Amino acid sequence: MHFMTTAATAAALALLLIALSIDIVSRRMALRASFGDAGDHGLIAAIRAHGNLTEYLPIGLALIALLEANAADPLALSIVAALFVIVRVAHAFGLRGSRDRLTIGRSVGIIGTLLLLATMTGWLGALLARPHLGF
């Protein structure tokens, strides 16, 4: 098994993580803030966008890999994985532009993330239970 969907998802999310890291570094350089957030709302939002991705990326990627390893339908899994990347991008950019308010990107991002994690968890449970339930 080659885990092509997992690999493509990991690559896409790694690119997003790199972009968010570069944003933090450039903001730190502009503010001359080598540590902390210097009280700057833009830097705080950039740090949280990066941190939030690192919080949800591992479980999302693990679920995608486990679904792929347990013979999930490849097309359906590709769609779910693509949606996971899209909602993480929406959340990251929505959080970066939030300035102490809820944005549509943040809302779509977190609601979409939680719904997709729940969907993948239920789907994996069904795949694992299938042999024991006789279908």
Side-chain angles (χ1 to χ4, degrees):
M1 182 164 286
H2 292 97
F3 292 93
M4 297 301 290
T5 301
T6 303
T9 305
L13 292 172
L15 289 173
L16 177 59
L17 191 65
I18 291 166
L20 294 174
S21 297
I22 290 169
D23 185 37
I24 292 170
V25 170
S26 65
R27 288 174 187 270
R28 284 189 187 284
M29 290 173 67
L31 294 168
R32 297 179 188 208
S34 61
F35 188 79
D37 56 35
D40 182 80
H41 289 287
L43 181 54
I44 292 168
I47 290 168
R48 282 308 313 139
H50 179 272
N52 193 276
L53 179 61
T54 64
E55 293 162 4
Y56 286 100
L57 187 152
I59 188 62
L61 204 55
L63 286 167
I64 291 164
L66 289 167
L67 284 162
E68 197 162 17
N70 284 282
D73 177 79
L75 178 59
L77 183 58
S78 294
I79 291 168
V80 167
L83 288 172
F84 187 70
V85 171
I86 290 166
V87 298
R88 295 317 306 157
V89 168
H91 188 269
F93 286 93
L95 182 58
R96 285 180 60 240
S98 67
R99 189 94 175 144
D100 295 331
R101 61 182 168 78
L102 192 59
T103 63
I104 190 73
R106 280 181 75 185
S107 299
V108 167
I110 194 59
I111 292 168
T113 296
L114 295 176
L115 287 173
L116 286 167
L117 290 177
T119 298
M120 289 188 284
T121 301
W123 188 5
L124 183 59
L127 288 174
L128 295 174
R130 183 177 50 193
H132 304 291
L133 298 175
F135 61 91

